[in-house]
């Protein structure tokens, strides 16, 4: 199944979390049905982390990385968009693997030192 | 009915600094508490007004115009009047317009915060073309992303109705100054709620929010990259970012950070950036194996 982002969000600007949710929901449905999905970035003019956090990052809350690697492919993504996506993926892995999304105090104490 | 008359004296030089943000913050608090009043903004001693700060002034005008108040600008000098007439500020309030001969103003614009492409079009078609210097495609992309991230932050964290913007391109020193403002939930409110900590100060809250990975997004969501992305970009660019929210003031110039608390609270968030557009740095880590026409697999 090919998902052309531009057609699904009706814009060349993939910038908002709401539009990210639209893409996330489609991907999530197809993975749940064990269907491979190709996310096509053709004709997308600009992408933000605000969009990608919701489109892709949130998937880590539902699926394991192995599942995402099996079912999700990307096409026509620019090098700059891929750079941003990798930041989003790295952050999502931390957020959802350590339970930090439910631990708002997790970053309050920055370090603990002085132990012998 | 006798109308109450209030005069607000605009500073001699309205620049992008703490002192002027403190002035604007006090002014918005003053006007928001007035009803049935005549409010004069006295420019008689004002010799300079940074064009991008028109956005902050516009917010004050809009807030002041409520509650049956009447507003007037007094003794605006010719230079400042020209800025206001060229950058859509006077046009917005029916005070006239001049042609932007040098085509360097980035127009004062009030955006609806709904999910619409207007801001993206404004950046692509209004802001970028004003920059009359050769820029790398990479820099242009990163700069646009930074601006979009600012706007999306204002929309999603501010939860506001309107977002005010204005900017200016300076050809002499190849800089862009740009301001984004919302009158929604402050960073302090969002961070205090998220951390369940009522003791954190406004400047500490802003500082917390700028750190990579820190986000007040709801459970089940990921974030905390947007502002740190902008910080990283501006640090390498030797640019500047100022964030004013509630009574917190936070700024970073290159790698030097400063933060403090103001006497009054701004009822929303102002983000002000200064970018060097003659920038040929590398911002995107290149992957030798990357090919644009190849399907990307196994990156998760």
């Amino acid at each position: 199944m090919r998902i052309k982002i531009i057609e699904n969000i009706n814009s060349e600007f993939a910038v908002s979390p709401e539009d990210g949710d639209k893409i996330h929901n489609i991907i999530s449905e197809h993975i749940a049905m064990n269907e491979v999905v190709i996310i096509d970035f053709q004709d997308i003019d600009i992408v933000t982390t605000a969009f990608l956090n919701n489109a892709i990052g949130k998937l880590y809350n539902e699926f394991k990385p192995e599942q995402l690697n099996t079912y999700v492919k990307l096409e026509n993504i620019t090098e700059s968009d891929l750079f941003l996506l990798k930041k989003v993926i790295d952050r999502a892995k931390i957020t959802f693997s350590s339970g930090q999304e439910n631990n708002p105090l997790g970053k309050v104490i920055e370090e603990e030192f002085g132990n012998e | 009915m006798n109308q109450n008359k209030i005069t607000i004296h605009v500073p001699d030089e309205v620049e992008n600094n703490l002192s002027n943000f403190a002035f604007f913050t006090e002014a918005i608090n003053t006007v928001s508490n007035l009803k049935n009043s005549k409010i004069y903004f006295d420019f008689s001693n004002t010799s300079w007004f940074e064009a991008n700060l028109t956005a902050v002034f516009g917010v004050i005008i809009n807030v002041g115009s409520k509650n049956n108040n009447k507003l007037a600008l007094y003794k605006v000098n010719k230079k400042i009047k020209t800025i206001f007439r060229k950058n859509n500020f006077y046009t917005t309030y029916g005070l006239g317009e001049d042609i932007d001969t040098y085509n360097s103003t980035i127009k004062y614009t009030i955006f609806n915060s709904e999910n619409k492409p207007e801001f993206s079009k404004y950046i692509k078609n209004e802001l970028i073309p004003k920059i009359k210097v050769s820029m790398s495609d990479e820099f242009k992309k990163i700069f646009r992303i930074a601006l979009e991230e600012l706007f999306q932050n204002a929309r999603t964290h501010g939860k506001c109705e309107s977002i005010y913007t204005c900017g200016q391109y300076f050809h002499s020193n190849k800089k862009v100054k740009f301001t984004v403002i919302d009158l929604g939930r402050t960073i302090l409110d969002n961070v205090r709620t998220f951390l369940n900590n009522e003791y954190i100060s406004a400047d500490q809250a802003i500082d917390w929010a700028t750190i990579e990975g820190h986000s007040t997004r709801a459970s089940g969501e990921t974030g905390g990259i947007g502002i740190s992305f902008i910080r990283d970009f501006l640090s390498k660019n030797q640019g500047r970012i100022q964030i004013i929210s509630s009574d917190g003031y936070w700024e970073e110039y290159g790698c030097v950070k400063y933060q403090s608390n103001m006497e009054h609270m701004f009822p929303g968030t102002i983000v002000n950036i200064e970018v060097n557009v003659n920038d040929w740095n590398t911002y995107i880590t290149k992957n030798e194996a990357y090919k644009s026409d190849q399907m990307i697999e196994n990156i998760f």
Side-chain angles (χ1 to χ4, degrees):
Chain A
M1 169 75 183
R2 178 178 296 276
I3 302 171
K4 285 200 84 172
I5 295 177
I6 193 169
E7 287 173 6
N8 283 280
I9 67 172
N10 202 32
S11 174
E12 58 180 328
F13 307 118
V15 296
S16 75
E18 295 94 326
D19 283 343
D21 278 337
K22 290 177 190 168
I23 301 303
H24 164 270
N25 294 342
I26 298 170
I27 298 171
S28 184
E29 268 175 34
H30 284 280
I31 298 176
M33 294 189 292
N34 296 325
E35 288 177 4
V36 171
V37 61
I38 301 169
I39 308 171
D40 189 345
F41 285 73
Q42 180 94 44
D43 297 323
I44 289 295
D45 181 49
I46 194 158
V47 166
T48 62
T49 65
F51 171 86
L52 291 171
N53 278 328
N54 282 27
I56 306 288
K58 264 176 22 171
L59 293 169
Y60 282 88
N61 194 28
E62 299 159 73
F63 306 106
K64 295 189 170 73
E66 302 78 58
Q67 289 174 287
L68 298 177
N69 279 326
T70 301
Y71 293 109
V72 183
K73 320 290 175 191
L74 309 174
E75 257 190 7
N76 299 309
I77 184 168
T78 65
E79 204 162 12
S80 58
D81 295 343
L82 191 56
F83 169 75
L84 272 191
L85 178 58
K86 284 183 177 172
K87 282 184 175 284
V88 165
I89 286 171
D90 288 346
R91 178 46 48 191
K93 282 177 175 173
I94 294 169
T95 301
F96 294 116
S97 64
S98 61
Q100 279 193 14
E101 80 280 17
N102 292 320
N103 180 19
L105 299 178
K107 287 283 187 183
V108 172
I109 299 176
E110 288 189 347
E111 64 171 309
E112 180 238 342
F113 59 93
N115 294 328
E116 289 180 346
Chain B
M1 178 175 57
N2 280 333
Q3 217 172 21
N4 190 25
K5 289 179 185 168
I6 301 288
T7 301
I8 294 176
H9 298 277
V10 181
D12 297 0
E13 291 179 338
V14 180
E15 296 177 321
N16 293 291
N17 58 34
L18 171 56
S19 163
N20 280 293
F21 285 116
F23 157 72
F24 284 127
T25 301
E26 184 177 4
I28 199 171
N29 278 275
T30 300
V31 303
S32 64
N33 289 322
L34 294 172
K35 288 180 190 175
N36 304 313
S37 299
K38 184 77 184 259
I39 308 171
Y40 293 91
F41 293 93
D42 183 351
F43 280 77
S44 52
N45 290 322
T46 309
S47 59
W48 175 253
F49 198 110
E50 286 271 21
N52 61 291
L53 294 177
T54 307
V56 195
F57 192 46
V59 165
I60 294 169
I61 294 292
N62 275 15
V63 169
S65 65
K66 296 180 171 36
N67 299 324
N68 201 35
N69 293 319
K70 305 289 178 204
L71 281 65
L73 308 188
Y74 177 68
K75 286 204 169 173
V76 181
N77 78 20
K78 195 175 172 188
K79 206 169 21 172
I80 297 171
K81 200 176 288 195
T82 303
I83 292 170
F84 288 165
R85 287 173 70 91
K86 284 185 177 179
N87 73 359
N88 199 42
F89 181 66
Y90 266 20
T91 315
T92 301
Y93 301 105
L95 294 172
E97 184 179 359
D98 276 344
I99 294 169
D100 180 15
T101 330
Y102 296 109
N103 204 25
S104 63
T105 64
I106 299 160
K107 291 192 186 327
Y108 168 67
T109 310
I110 305 172
F111 292 96
N112 185 296
S113 68
E114 287 174 8
N115 181 26
K116 287 185 177 162
E118 270 62 41
F119 181 79
S120 301
K121 291 177 183 173
Y122 168 83
I123 296 302
K124 187 177 180 183
N125 303 326
E126 162 73 18
L127 189 151
I128 296 294
K130 295 294 172 77
I131 302 171
K132 307 285 186 293
V133 68
S134 180
M135 297 181 284
S136 69
D137 286 343
E138 182 174 317
F139 171 77
K140 243 188 280 188
K141 194 72 177 287
I142 296 293
F143 183 26
R144 283 180 63 197
I145 292 170
L147 294 168
E148 295 277 5
E149 299 280 3
L150 277 186
F151 189 78
Q152 291 303 324
N153 257 312
R155 287 187 63 235
T156 55
H157 293 292
K159 294 181 175 29
C160 51
E161 276 185 24
S162 306
I163 297 170
Y164 298 71
T165 67
C166 192
Q168 178 70 39
Y169 165 62
F170 295 91
H171 190 64
S172 55
N173 58 7
K174 312 286 186 285
K175 283 185 198 274
V176 165
K177 296 183 185 180
F178 191 72
T179 306
V180 176
I181 306 169
D182 73 80
L183 293 183
R185 272 180 70 90
T186 62
I187 296 175
L188 178 65
D189 285 341
N190 280 328
V191 172
R192 274 187 174 171
T193 302
F194 182 77
L195 294 180
N196 196 24
N197 177 358
E198 63 185 76
Y199 299 109
I200 194 169
S201 63
D203 66 309
Q204 288 172 333
I206 299 171
D207 191 54
W208 183 93
T210 65
I211 295 169
E212 183 172 348
H214 286 188
S215 174
T216 58
R217 289 181 124 210
S219 175
E221 298 196 337
T222 177
I225 307 174
I227 291 291
S228 63
F229 174 88
I230 297 165
R231 274 186 83 179
D232 290 345
F233 161 58
L234 289 172
S235 175
K236 202 166 186 176
N237 175 263
Q238 287 294 299
R240 182 175 170 190
I241 176 167
Q242 294 159 300
I243 304 175
I244 297 89
S245 194
S246 184
D247 57 326
Y249 176 85
W250 187 99
E251 106 164 45
E252 193 165 55
Y253 201 159
C255 301
V256 178
K257 194 172 75 172
Y258 171 80
Q259 61 189 80
S260 71
N261 286 302
M262 302 183 295
E263 189 180 341
H264 300 277
M265 295 187 185
F266 187 83
T269 302
I270 303 169
V271 182
N272 212 39
I273 63 171
E274 188 176 305
V275 181
N276 293 300
V277 293
N278 190 20
D279 176 351
W280 293 84
N281 284 316
T282 300
Y283 287 94
I284 296 168
T285 310
K286 304 281 192 291
N287 184 340
E288 282 182 6
Y290 169 82
K291 285 185 181 130
S292 61
D293 58 350
Q294 212 169 40
M295 186 177 289
I296 308 287
E297 297 182 276
N298 295 318
I299 63 160
F300 298 97

